[in-house]
Amino acid sequence: MGGLIALGFLARLVWVLAVPSRPVGDFALYRESASYLVEHHALDPEFIYMPGYVFLLAAVEWLGGGLLAAKLLGVVAGTAVVAAAGGIGAGLFDRRTGLTAAALAALWPAGIAVTSVTGTDLPAGALVALAIWALVKWGRDRPWTAAAVFGLLMGLGAWVRAVAAPLAALSFFYWWVIERRAPRAATRAALGVAVAFVVLLPWALRNQYVYGDFFFTDSHGGHTALVGANPNSEGTYSRSLNVMFTKGTGFRLMDTPARHRASDRAAYELAKGWTSFSPAYAAGLLVAKADRLLSHERNLLYWPIYRQGVLPAARREFLDAHRTALERLADGFWWGIVGLFVAGVSLTARARDRRALALLAFPAAMVVIYASFFSEVRYHLAIAPLLFPLAAFALTWMVASFRRRFAADGRAWLGVALPLLALFAGWPALVAGGAALRARARWAVDVCAYPTAGETHLCTWRRTAPAGGPSPVRGVWDGVGLRVGAGGSDDGGASARTSMTLERGRYRLSGLLAVKGAGTGPDVVVAITAADRVIMRAVLPRGASGDVPVEGLFDHDGGNLPIGFAVEPNAIGSTPDGATIWFSQLVVERFPPLVIIPRR
């Protein structure tokens, strides 16, 4: 085992020395925060994340280490994953399985590649894997020690990624399998949870001092959920969301400490509202986030290799020349591990090995959490280490079965083949089904202005026509678009609707219209409605560039007011060729405007 751990360390060290990646994005932010901590002896006032990894980077910098020394943290974390995978495999099954698990982890291509950029994902994953190793190693012989060490490591992991602390409660399933007595299993699980939260206690006390609020997490969860619920970007990060959030709520992502908690709560409430606005779209988005989290590892190569400016030109050119091969290697290895993992689950279920099955609660919970909130492929760096032991068990069984010429293994092979068939046929079908569901239920949100409880709001738009097929609605931070002829209508008609609450009175509605992606051809007829009455109609030349200002007056009896935006079907000039018609900068104001004359 020691030789394989050394191999894992050497492979990562050689990669870090050979591929001098420059940290960017979140990775650069952590280093900047560490530099601020060293200089000012306090966290950056705008810092809203868990501080554990920043503390490690600050310690490296304080001791005089530079970027290379900081990257060694990733090398050590990757090596810890190798040790943990091997230890779990040996503890659950046998020494041969442990050696195989360690070998798979040591040679994990994407796991090696990410060590040349520094981030929280790999250290957090290493600590969770080490915690589970402690559970397996001492669970039977020294259960109270196992529970305490498990809780300690999960608590340390939570300093890096807050999700680790509540995951400690999942040890109940492992203890229940061993003890078969729920009260004792609950007591030992409670010890692990208690130790984890005691380890986190200084952070909660700091939060009480800074915010006047006692909590164990960061102030970032609501913002993360908001990114994952954004319909305009299909749950991926976009800078325009920051603009939309600030204009719509008055908060900023990186706000002052006095506003961190309020900003995060506002983001979380908004995320819940967006999720409930269209449950069908939210379900399709859940599949998309699971797909990003689990389907490919090629995207892990983006940060250390292929993002612009990460590498010197000479190194980048060499790696660009081999990009296809490297991506195929990363994806092929990953899907091999996933396939072996599924086979391992089938074999352990057939053998009724409840200890191994009980540990599935940890990767399953992380998949559910990340897919529900927000996911990137790098988040599965905490999940992958927990797959290696079962994958190794399946691989060693397959080799042994081959050596004995499959004697008496027919039913077991059938039990392996069926889940693999379901995986490799069912997963692409699930991903395609999620994409189709999102296409049908697509909606949009943008910044708009109307005089109710402040001037600036976020307007949510859903389609009203065509009734079937893909939704024509598209969104950007300041407008909504209709992609006519998008598949649900042959006559060029498409429409969407939002609503707002206004007092009784006369109002003026204004905005900008534009046609994009249509080239030359007939004009487009667009209508804007208020309370189902057309208040303005415009004819837009498709060949023209720029925005066309429009406005109209209407009377409102008070209460909810639906606002419609439509490309008229069967009207002269309507276009079914796939152009997108945009309606942006929607403003509704009293007419005539209320003028307040100051007293003399």
Side-chain angles (χ1 to χ4, degrees):
M1 185 76 75
L4 290 171
I5 294 172
L7 174 64
F9 177 84
L10 184 62
R12 286 153 179 80
L13 180 61
V14 169
W15 176 267
V16 164
L17 295 175
V19 184
S21 307
R22 183 172 64 88
V24 293
D26 287 350
F27 308 107
L29 182 148
Y30 297 134
R31 293 201 71 223
E32 293 166 2
S33 298
S35 297
Y36 187 97
L37 178 59
V38 171
E39 182 176 353
H40 299 280
H41 308 290
L43 290 170
D44 181 345
E46 294 186 347
F47 189 82
I48 56 176
Y49 308 96
M50 295 302 292
Y53 185 63
V54 171
F55 288 164
L56 290 175
L57 290 176
V60 169
E61 184 169 332
W62 183 73
L63 292 170
L67 177 58
L68 179 59
K71 289 182 178 182
L72 292 179
L73 295 175
V75 174
V76 171
T79 306
V81 166
V82 177
I88 294 169
L92 287 177
F93 304 107
D94 52 39
R95 184 173 180 273
R96 180 174 296 179
T97 300
L99 291 173
T100 305
L104 293 175
L107 300 175
W108 176 24
I112 295 172
V114 295
T115 53
S116 63
V117 289
T118 50
T120 60
D121 309 284
L122 196 55
L127 286 165
V128 170
L130 289 171
I132 294 175
W133 182 18
L135 207 61
V136 172
K137 182 177 180 62
W138 295 308
R140 282 179 168 167
D141 300 327
R142 301 165 62 187
W144 297 110
T145 299
V149 174
F150 169 80
L152 171 65
L153 291 167
M154 293 298 276
L156 292 174
W159 275 93
V160 182
R161 283 271 182 170
V163 70
L167 288 181
L170 297 177
S171 64
F172 168 81
F173 298 104
Y174 187 80
W175 292 122
W176 183 79
V177 164
I178 291 178
E179 299 290 343
R180 293 302 180 88
R181 286 181 286 184
R184 181 171 292 184
T187 301
R188 288 176 178 165
L191 174 62
V193 172
V195 171
F197 280 93
V198 167
V199 171
L200 264 182
L201 184 59
W203 177 246
L205 293 174
R206 174 264 182 190
N207 291 335
Q208 176 71 48
Y209 175 76
V210 172
Y211 302 118
D213 192 2
F214 185 83
F215 61 97
F216 288 87
T217 64
D218 53 28
S219 298
H220 185 53
H223 296 288
T224 301
L226 187 64
V227 174
N230 184 10
N232 296 351
S233 63
E234 292 216 327
T236 59
Y237 174 76
S238 70
R239 293 182 179 179
S240 64
L241 178 62
N242 295 341
V243 177
M244 187 163 61
F245 177 68
T246 299
K247 290 184 176 293
T249 67
F251 294 106
R252 294 184 297 114
L253 173 62
M254 299 293 189
D255 222 318
T256 59
R259 290 161 60 88
H260 281 173
R261 295 294 287 167
S263 174
D264 199 48
R265 291 189 185 102
Y268 188 63
E269 290 302 317
L270 198 55
K272 289 196 295 184
W274 287 0
T275 300
S276 62
F277 182 78
S278 176
Y281 184 82
L285 203 54
L286 189 71
V287 175
K289 288 181 282 189
D291 179 39
R292 291 181 204 125
L293 180 67
L294 300 172
S295 284
H296 302 288
E297 285 205 326
R298 70 182 69 168
N299 296 328
L300 283 173
L301 305 181
Y302 171 74
W303 297 104
I305 302 177
Y306 295 118
R307 176 162 172 163
Q308 192 67 32
V310 168
L311 286 177
R315 301 289 174 87
R316 173 68 184 269
E317 289 174 4
F318 174 80
L319 292 166
D320 270 340
H322 298 85
R323 181 166 186 166
T324 299
L326 289 172
E327 289 182 342
R328 287 176 177 172
L329 174 63
D331 281 350
F333 188 92
W334 169 245
W335 277 107
I337 293 298
V338 171
L340 287 171
F341 169 74
V342 170
V345 172
S346 174
L347 290 169
T348 51
R350 187 171 184 270
R352 297 183 179 181
D353 189 341
R354 294 182 175 86
R355 285 198 308 153
L357 296 177
L359 294 179
L360 294 179
F362 291 94
M366 283 188 275
V367 169
V368 170
I369 290 169
Y370 288 133
S372 298
F373 284 80
F374 171 69
S375 69
E376 289 185 1
V377 64
R378 61 190 176 95
Y379 290 0
H380 90 209
L381 291 172
I383 299 171
L386 307 181
L387 273 56
F388 290 124
L390 280 167
F393 176 67
L395 184 58
T396 55
W397 179 87
M398 290 176 180
V399 171
S401 179
F402 176 78
R403 286 177 175 173
R404 60 177 176 262
R405 300 187 180 185
F406 311 106
D409 292 336
R411 289 186 178 180
W413 275 103
L414 180 63
V416 166
L418 291 178
L420 288 177
L421 180 63
L423 170 69
F424 289 107
W427 183 257
L430 177 64
V431 171
L437 187 58
R438 295 194 305 279
R440 288 195 301 272
R442 188 183 306 279
W443 59 283
V445 59
D446 69 344
V447 175
C448 57
Y450 57 90
T452 302
E455 292 292 328
T456 306
H457 304 269
L458 296 178
C459 285
T460 52
W461 298 81
R462 68 169 81 242
R463 71 154 164 193
T464 51
S471 168
V473 177
R474 304 292 187 270
V476 292
W477 75 269
D478 67 341
V480 60
L482 292 174
R483 185 169 175 81
V484 292
S489 173
D490 295 329
D491 58 15
S495 61
R497 173 179 289 186
T498 189
S499 63
M500 56 188 67
T501 302
L502 299 174
E503 296 177 353
R504 180 183 180 88
R506 170 161 287 195
Y507 293 89
R508 175 170 57 196
L509 185 151
S510 62
L512 300 175
L513 294 172
V515 182
K516 304 293 183 181
T520 59
D523 298 337
V524 180
V525 179
V526 178
I528 306 297
T529 64
D532 299 322
R533 297 189 298 273
V534 176
I535 60 171
M536 68 180 79
R537 189 177 267 110
V539 179
L540 307 178
R542 288 196 297 164
S545 60
D547 298 318
V548 177
V550 291
E551 65 175 44
L553 300 176
F554 64 92
D555 293 314
H556 181 49
D557 294 332
N560 184 66
L561 173 71
I563 300 291
F565 162 47
V567 176
E568 295 194 346
N570 299 317
I572 296 174
S574 291
T575 172
D577 67 356
T580 302
I581 320 301
W582 290 96
F583 180 38
S584 60
Q585 298 186 29
L586 168 61
V587 176
V588 176
E589 55 190 343
R590 285 189 174 276
F591 185 84
L594 181 63
V595 177
I596 299 176
I597 302 175
R599 295 182 179 179
R600 293 186 181 276

